[in-house]
Amino acid sequence: MGNCVRSQAAEAIARYAARDVIEAESAGIRPLGFIDKTTQSVLLARGISMEGQKSKGLHAHSLLNPDLTINMSGVPGESLFGHRRFEDWHVPDPFGEDVETHSRICDDIEARVLDLAARLRSAESFPQGGK
């Protein structure tokens, strides 16, 4: 929603671990304009940088024609993305929670990003709509 935790973590992880198949850029429905400090520290402890990332909305110029949108907002993707390809990832929002919670959510996001990268590398086709 606020583009300060989950999607920012996914973007950083994808840039770190899957840049060969994912050109990641995150956005939010209602961007808060900052990246959560706890999320930054959890990723930095893993050796993953968020350098160059910023909180932005869905209508940023660079996001107009994505090949695939990963939706972690909790809002069903059909209502947000229409006929574009998307996947709904049901990931709890750790905003305001402790480091352990952020780390657990980061583990979940990392596993999902790595799975997506593996599917892309194997040229698996994506279904229209969400998971």
Side-chain angles (χ1 to χ4, degrees):
M1 295 292 266
N3 190 232
C4 72
V5 181
R6 295 169 293 181
S7 61
Q8 291 290 344
E11 177 181 346
I13 292 165
R15 288 175 186 246
Y16 177 79
R19 66 178 141 238
D20 61 314
V21 289
I22 299 174
E23 187 177 336
E25 190 163 358
S26 65
I29 295 171
R30 290 186 291 276
L32 296 176
F34 64 90
I35 299 174
D36 183 82
K37 298 289 184 197
T38 307
T39 298
Q40 290 181 48
S41 69
V42 166
L43 289 170
L44 195 55
R46 296 169 186 230
I48 300 173
S49 170
M50 297 182 98
E51 185 176 334
Q53 290 183 217
K54 63 180 183 174
S55 178
K56 61 194 157 309
L58 289 175
H59 302 293
H61 173 71
S62 60
L63 298 169
L64 295 180
N65 294 306
D67 293 325
L68 174 68
T69 300
I70 302 301
N71 177 31
M72 291 185 270
S73 70
V75 176
E78 303 86 38
S79 65
L80 296 172
F81 307 112
H83 297 292
R84 292 185 178 167
R85 288 185 356 184
F86 69 90
E87 289 185 11
D88 283 332
W89 289 3
H90 302 286
V91 177
D93 187 356
F95 185 71
E97 299 292 334
D98 58 25
V99 172
E100 291 77 20
T101 302
H102 277 258
S103 186
R104 194 170 51 255
I105 297 300
C106 191
D107 289 343
D108 181 18
I109 292 169
E110 183 173 21
R112 291 169 185 265
V113 168
L114 294 176
D115 175 69
L116 173 61
R119 289 185 283 135
L120 290 170
R121 287 180 184 118
S122 70
E124 177 178 314
S125 63
F126 291 93
Q128 183 75 13
K131 274 187 164 179

